[in-house]
Amino acid sequence: MAARAAATRHAEGAERMDVREPPHRPPAILVVASDPSARASLLEPLQRRYSADYRIIDVENPDRAVAAVEGVHAEGGDLALVLADDPSPVSGHESVFAAARRRFPDVRRGLVIEWGSWADRATADAVLELMTRLQIDYYVVRPVHSPDESFHRAVTDFLREWEAAAGKRHRGFTVIGDDAQPRTHLLRSILARGGVPTDHLTPDAPDALAMLAEAAVDYAGVPLVRTADGRVLVDPDDAELARAHGLETALPTGIVDLAVVGAGPGGLAAAVYAASEGLDTLVLEGESIGGQAGSSSLIRNYLGFSRGVSGAELAQRAYQQAWVFGARFAHTRRATGMRVVDGGFELDAAPGEIVRARAVVLATGVSYRRISAPGLRPFVGASVFYGASSVEARAQAGRDVLVIGGGNSAGQAALHLARYARSVALVVRGESLADSMSRYLIDQLEAAGVGLITGSRVVDAGAGGADRLDHVVLERTGSGERVAVPAHAVFITIGARPHTEWLPPEVLRDRWGSVITGAEVLAEGGRRAWLGSDDGPAPLESSVPGFFAVGDVRRGSVKRVASAVGEGSVVVSSVHAHLGAHAGG
């Protein structure tokens, strides 16, 4: 009751203050061009299309542009986009692009070039250099006719990216919970990776108190979720949360042609191609659509996305594509066992139901192995995260952050965190990143000022005065020397392993649990390991006919999103062949 009374007082106070609050200032688009005609060619279409929702600010040189950035920041406004044709530093210090990123970490920045100038070597080199040094996100071609929809597409893409990164999309869901509780973070992550823009409020925040008072619910120490229709869910389980934002969790009663276990890139690709080719397809996913890739802030080396694409967006596009072709999804349903039966397979799906399928594609990927450092355990899920967890990046403003790992996932996580955190450092056991990370990422990490601690591993951690993570202890792998390093959050992306212990013994695996497929079944296990015909298993088929494995869960896979997508798409031809051979079974 005290919470509701406080909320009522807050609401009344807010009502009285409304008349004195300044009018809302829309986010700004800054246009920088010295040539009046060039500037006019940018301003006219921008004013026509965007002036109702954005302030269009134009200046003629980098000096005034930097001053304009500082002015927007000083007045407490938002800067969504900078379009400039001059990347020169002001007084030898920083360019307008650098100033904009420093003041507004989520701002999008485009270098304006003339049509066709990408063929000029100097222009091309400038674009590539500016992108490597994280000065710009991409280039924009100056419009030369009206309407120029290619120009507007570039602008709209930038604004959509800014809206998502800055948390400006309409937020129908709100998580109310203590930041120190892992479940609070997990609920936010599940919603974000499901494509649901979500607010987070602490239980004592005035807006949280008002929401709870309206719903007549008291906070009792566990996280709450306010849904888009105003209901308040008390510490909902994953299935209840999925149903609240319109996802299906039920299982079909009949047999399906293909069950895909896991909705990461490989599983989603298998679902798209299987469903598009007429197979009755069901996808089981125990956590979030997209798997580990879904938490990646930016995938730069995926075909067709020149500026890169977030893992969540790529996963949502693939999910929608599979759904449109007719694939069914059972969200928050984890496979816990499997049996080979007449006519196919039976899959146990928690909590206690069975899926029957004529063929199965396993695409569960891998998860990161827990670090044994005892001091980390109390903070797991609150300030220690296994995976890239881009959802948590904005919460690291003003903090010191460590990323453990030397692969591309670690690099992208560090880059994203560097937008917000006071300091970011990568901790790797090797002596360099050259053998484990793409060159473009190494260059961008250097440009972003991300530190590198080599030849080290985490062995312990400690808390500050408020029981929050304060530091970790690193040990030099060669000398055994230990040193304490400040850290308010740790993101761990090492020691990936598959979870295949629920599979029956007939499915041949290596000692790490990775499923062995194709010709390696016979090479590894001998003729008796293969339970099918004399032809042997298909390239992605396991030792059990009709049971296939794709992506990171398969031994010998290439650990890339594109590779998993490729395997998920080509496995469907083998599924067809298996189903055809057993059509009368």
Side-chain angles (χ1 to χ4, degrees):
M1 295 297 295
R4 288 196 288 272
T8 302
R9 288 194 300 272
H10 168 74
E12 291 172 350
E15 201 170 31
R16 288 193 299 269
M17 289 176 62
D18 279 347
V19 295
R20 296 194 296 270
E21 288 180 353
H24 169 70
R25 295 185 71 89
I29 297 174
L30 176 61
V31 177
V32 189
S34 57
D35 181 81
S37 62
R39 194 161 66 253
S41 69
L42 293 165
L43 288 172
E44 192 277 330
L46 290 172
Q47 293 280 7
R48 180 160 31 88
R49 292 271 182 107
Y50 307 100
S51 59
D53 300 305
Y54 297 88
R55 270 195 302 158
I56 314 298
I57 302 172
D58 68 291
V59 296
E60 65 274 17
N61 60 55
D63 292 271
R64 293 193 174 184
V66 171
V69 169
E70 296 295 341
V72 174
H73 180 265
E75 67 188 19
D78 283 319
L79 182 61
L81 175 62
V82 175
L83 298 176
D85 61 4
D86 188 350
S88 303
V90 174
S91 304
H93 183 47
E94 61 180 359
S95 68
V96 61
F97 297 126
R101 190 175 193 266
R102 174 173 53 81
R103 288 300 194 187
F104 302 94
D106 299 307
V107 69
R108 275 4 189 201
R109 299 151 300 159
L111 177 69
V112 178
I113 66 173
E114 299 298 320
W115 191 93
S117 64
W118 51 79
D120 175 62
R121 189 68 259 169
T123 300
D125 287 346
V127 169
L128 298 178
E129 175 69 13
L130 289 168
M131 290 186 68
T132 297
R133 292 193 289 113
L134 302 178
Q135 293 283 299
I136 63 171
D137 296 290
Y138 208 57
Y139 66 83
V140 176
V141 178
R142 184 171 68 85
V144 293
H145 58 83
S146 182
D148 189 331
E149 299 302 342
S150 294
F151 171 76
H152 287 297
R153 178 175 179 175
V155 171
T156 302
D157 283 349
F158 274 136
L159 293 176
R160 284 188 70 252
E161 292 169 9
W162 169 78
E163 180 187 57
K168 300 298 181 181
R169 288 182 179 170
H170 172 69
R171 297 180 167 196
F173 279 65
T174 302
V175 175
I176 301 171
D178 186 347
D179 226 14
Q181 291 186 334
R183 186 63 183 165
T184 300
H185 295 261
L186 185 58
L187 290 170
R188 294 173 58 200
S189 177
I190 291 171
L191 287 165
R193 291 173 64 179
V196 182
T198 306
D199 265 325
H200 169 234
L201 296 172
T202 58
D204 58 352
D207 287 345
L209 294 172
M211 287 180 184
L212 296 181
E214 181 182 356
V217 174
D218 290 319
Y219 179 76
V222 295
L224 307 171
V225 178
R226 183 182 186 273
T227 66
D229 59 5
R231 290 178 295 141
V232 174
L233 310 178
V234 180
D235 193 16
D237 63 24
D238 294 355
E240 185 181 6
L241 192 63
R243 290 191 292 269
H245 63 95
L247 299 181
E248 182 62 66
T249 62
L251 299 174
T253 55
I255 189 169
V256 298
D257 292 327
L258 176 63
V260 179
V261 184
L268 290 169
V272 167
Y273 284 89
S276 69
E277 294 172 18
L279 296 182
D280 184 9
T281 303
L282 173 71
V283 182
L284 297 171
E285 174 51 55
E287 296 182 0
S288 300
I289 294 294
Q292 282 188 20
S295 66
S296 178
S297 59
L298 189 69
I299 302 171
R300 275 287 311 276
N301 56 355
Y302 190 75
L303 185 68
F305 293 88
S306 54
R307 292 204 307 272
V309 60
S310 73
E313 181 175 357
L314 184 64
Q316 285 300 311
R317 289 189 181 200
Y319 164 61
Q320 293 162 11
Q321 190 175 16
W323 184 85
V324 165
F325 279 126
R328 289 177 286 176
F329 287 77
H331 298 268
T332 72
R333 304 307 292 266
R334 187 184 303 276
T336 58
M338 186 185 81
R339 290 169 299 282
V340 182
V341 298
D342 288 342
F345 302 87
E346 286 184 348
L347 291 166
D348 296 323
E353 294 186 70
I354 293 175
V355 172
R356 295 173 177 84
R358 298 170 64 201
V360 176
V361 169
L362 182 68
T364 48
V366 293
S367 58
Y368 294 113
R369 189 180 296 115
R370 299 289 166 132
I371 290 179
S372 60
L376 289 179
R377 291 176 196 146
F379 307 105
V380 171
S383 50
V384 174
F385 305 96
Y386 284 87
S389 192
S390 62
V391 176
E392 300 290 343
R394 293 181 62 83
Q396 308 311 320
R399 298 179 177 177
D400 301 310
V401 177
L402 294 182
V403 179
I404 316 299
N408 279 7
S409 293
Q412 289 292 4
L415 270 183
H416 191 56
L417 288 161
R419 287 180 175 267
Y420 311 99
R422 178 169 57 192
S423 71
V424 180
L426 277 169
V427 179
V428 297
R429 299 194 70 162
E431 294 303 324
S432 78
L433 296 172
D435 295 331
S436 59
M437 187 178 292
S438 297
R439 184 70 241 177
Y440 79 88
L441 264 178
I442 297 174
D443 293 340
Q444 290 187 333
L445 289 168
E446 292 175 356
V450 172
L452 178 61
I453 303 173
T454 60
S456 301
R457 66 188 186 97
V458 178
V459 294
D460 206 350
D467 293 329
R468 302 288 179 124
L469 183 69
D470 179 70
H471 68 276
V472 301
V473 178
L474 301 180
E475 180 181 88
R476 291 287 299 174
T477 53
S479 65
E481 176 191 2
R482 295 190 172 190
V483 60
V485 177
H488 302 108
V490 177
F491 295 80
I492 301 167
T493 61
I494 60 172
R497 60 181 294 270
H499 288 294
T500 55
E501 61 278 356
W502 56 275
L503 294 174
E506 298 96 314
V507 178
L508 189 65
R509 284 154 281 171
D510 64 17
R511 62 187 175 125
W512 295 281
S514 299
V515 176
I516 298 172
T517 57
E520 287 192 4
V521 169
L522 302 181
E524 187 83 11
R527 174 58 60 177
R528 285 184 295 181
W530 167 240
L531 304 181
S533 66
D534 292 339
D535 294 336
L540 297 170
E541 195 168 21
S542 74
S543 55
V544 176
F547 184 83
F548 304 84
V550 300
D552 290 354
V553 75
R554 186 182 69 82
R555 187 172 82 167
S557 64
V558 177
K559 304 301 188 282
R560 289 287 186 271
V561 172
S563 177
V565 170
E567 290 185 7
S569 60
V570 301
V571 74
V572 175
S573 62
S574 296
V575 172
H576 275 296
H578 170 78
L579 295 178
H582 295 78

